[in-house]
């Protein structure tokens, strides 16, 4: 038995004060940590053990093993339907990092040179939003784009200059992400606003869960070779495999550790395959009521609805 961890609110208990918004977080006392059971249920781990409320423990080897044991013993009889919960991002991250131009086929579509080292950027943690959450288009931007990505989730503290082997041991698992980007901010305004273009509230959908390394291994899968697909209103826009990555997840994490300490819950978006909206003829940008879905083999489907920011 392997485990996929998620964070959620019980939908029947969500109030205006407790519900997550684009600019705030729900009350910590209402947030639950769970393990997905099958395709349509979740086991509330925090109801069974208060230790799961501590993220550093829940993402540790001991925490993941305890979650597996609870799913094996109580999953079927004590789980609740997914339609009774509201998904949150599966972790609380102190850092949300991203890698640019990390798929060979994506580099080819941009007519740029293969990078010799990972191209690192940051997204603000407030940009995170969970599965089934809204992607909110900023009022000023008309060129909001999608980028389906494999996301690394850190499980333990990793100090500077780690080896790739140490980096892999520090990774708890993987999730599905969408690196939403406002291309007009990125390339046109203010000389190019890379951080702003990727850090708007709700511009980092993540979920539905974090799938442990053990879960992938037991399914005979490896993060280095997973099918990845992005769909817009049901039409396939991106389709590739993570084997097209130039830099592996372990290499990326080890590279980052040269300059920063990575903490449990930190996430790294590892790059996007070809097919992004701005590279199409004509370009395809997101509009209100668009339905986004990013699917990665063994990790699940991340779904989000695009809406316009409310008028003030």
């Amino acid at each position: 038995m392997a485990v996929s961890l998620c964070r959620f609110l019980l939908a029947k208990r969500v109030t205006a004060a407790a519900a997550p918004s684009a600019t705030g977080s729900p009350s910590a006392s209402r947030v639950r940590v769970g393990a997905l059971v099958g395709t349509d249920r979740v086991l509330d781990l925090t109801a069974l053990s208060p230790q799961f409320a501590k993220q550093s423990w829940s993402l540790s080897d001991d925490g993941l093993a305890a979650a597996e044991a609870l799913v094996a013993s109580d999953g079927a009889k004590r789980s609740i339907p997914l339609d009774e919960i509201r998904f949150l991002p599966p972790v609380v991250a102190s850092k949300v990092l991203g890698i640019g131009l990390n798929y060979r086929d994506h580099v080819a579509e941009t007519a740029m040179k293969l990078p010799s080292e990972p191209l690192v950027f940051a997204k603000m943690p407030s940009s995170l939003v969970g599965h089934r959450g809204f992607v909110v288009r900023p009022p000023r931007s008309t060129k909001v784009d999608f980028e389906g990505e494999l996301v690394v989730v850190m499980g333990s503290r990793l100090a500077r200059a780690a080896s790739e082997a140490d980096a892999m041991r520090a990774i708890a698992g993987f999730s599905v992400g969408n690196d939403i980007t406002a291309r007009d901010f990125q390339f046109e305004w203010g000389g190019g606003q890379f951080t702003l273009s990727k850090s708007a509230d709700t511009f980092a959908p993540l979920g539905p869960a974090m799938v442990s390394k053990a879960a992938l291994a037991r399914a005979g899968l490896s993060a280095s070779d997973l099918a990845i697909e992005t769909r817009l209103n049901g039409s396939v826009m991106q389709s590739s495999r993570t084997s097209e990555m130039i830099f592996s997840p372990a290499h990326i994490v080890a590279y980052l550790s040269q300059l920063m300490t990575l903490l449990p819950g930190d996430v790294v978006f590892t790059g996007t395959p070809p097919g992004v909206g701005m590279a199409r003829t004509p370009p395809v940008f997101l509009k209100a009521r668009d339905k986004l879905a990013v699917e990665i083999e063994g990790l699940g489907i991340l779904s989000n609805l695009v809406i316009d920011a409310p008028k003030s």
Side-chain angles (χ1 to χ4, degrees), residues 7-121:
R7 294 171 62 250
F8 64 93
L9 299 172
L10 294 171
K12 295 179 180 178
R13 300 179 186 174
V14 174
T15 65
S21 69
T23 57
S25 300
S27 168
S29 64
R30 295 180 179 269
V31 174
R32 320 302 293 176
V33 175
L36 297 184
V37 179
T39 59
D40 59 356
R41 301 184 71 84
V42 64
L43 178 65
D44 186 349
L45 296 172
T46 43
L48 301 175
S49 172
Q51 283 185 291
F52 285 101
K54 186 177 181 181
Q55 179 169 262
S56 59
W57 187 82
S58 66
L59 293 176
S60 69
D61 290 342
D62 288 344
L64 293 172
E68 290 184 9
L70 288 172
V71 171
S73 61
D74 296 313
K77 59 186 178 182
R78 303 188 67 170
S79 60
I80 57 178
L82 292 184
D83 60 10
E84 294 183 10
I85 73 169
R86 179 172 182 172
F87 280 97
L88 300 174
V91 291
V92 177
S94 72
K95 290 182 281 297
V96 180
L97 301 167
I99 306 298
L101 297 178
N102 194 33
Y103 278 71
R104 295 175 184 86
D105 41 9
H106 177 50
V107 174
E109 83 170 341
T110 62
M112 299 180 73
K113 293 182 179 179
L114 290 176
S116 59
E117 298 184 28
L119 303 176
V120 181
F121 60 86

Side-chain angles (χ1 to χ4, degrees), residues 64-297:
L64 293 172
E68 290 184 9
L70 288 172
V71 171
S73 61
D74 296 313
K77 59 186 178 182
R78 303 188 67 170
S79 60
I80 57 178
L82 292 184
D83 60 10
E84 294 183 10
I85 73 169
R86 179 172 182 172
F87 280 97
L88 300 174
V91 291
V92 177
S94 72
K95 290 182 281 297
V96 180
L97 301 167
I99 306 298
L101 297 178
N102 194 33
Y103 278 71
R104 295 175 184 86
D105 41 9
H106 177 50
V107 174
E109 83 170 341
T110 62
M112 299 180 73
K113 293 182 179 179
L114 290 176
S116 59
E117 298 184 28
L119 303 176
V120 181
F121 60 86
K123 296 172 76 78
M124 297 300 105
S126 56
S127 65
L128 288 169
V129 67
H131 174 55
R132 299 177 181 170
F134 294 137
V135 169
V136 183
R137 294 198 319 164
R140 190 180 170 195
S141 179
T142 59
K143 297 181 180 179
V144 177
D145 205 350
F146 51 85
E147 296 188 14
E149 308 201 8
L150 173 75
V151 179
V152 170
V153 179
M154 299 303 298
S156 61
R157 184 178 184 274
L158 189 68
R160 290 183 178 181
S163 66
E164 289 192 23
D166 287 339
M168 198 63 197
R169 280 191 289 270
I171 293 172
F174 302 90
S175 191
V176 184
N178 199 336
D179 177 18
I180 304 296
T181 306
R183 302 298 187 192
D184 31 21
F185 275 96
Q186 186 179 22
F187 296 117
E188 299 173 16
W189 297 336
Q193 298 280 5
F194 210 93
T195 300
L196 281 178
S197 74
K198 291 178 172 288
S199 292
D201 294 335
T202 75
F203 269 27
L206 184 67
M210 183 220 69
V211 179
S212 67
K213 290 181 296 185
L216 282 181
R218 292 172 192 175
L221 298 173
S222 168
S224 63
D225 188 23
L226 299 173
I228 177 171
E229 183 174 281
T230 303
R231 297 185 290 273
L232 176 61
N233 299 321
S235 297
V236 175
M237 308 299 282
Q238 296 181 281
S239 182
S240 188
R241 299 193 68 86
T242 58
S243 55
E244 285 290 326
M245 282 187 181
I246 300 165
F247 305 107
S248 70
H251 181 90
I252 291 167
V253 170
Y255 182 85
L256 293 169
S257 76
Q258 294 179 98
L259 296 173
M260 65 183 75
T261 299
L262 297 170
L263 302 174
D266 286 349
V267 296
V268 185
F269 285 65
T270 60
T272 198
V276 296
M278 72 168 184
R280 294 177 169 272
T281 306
V284 175
F285 295 117
L286 299 176
K287 58 186 184 300
R289 295 183 294 279
D290 276 347
K291 296 178 181 179
L292 285 165
V294 183
E295 181 172 5
I296 300 181
E297 182 181 8

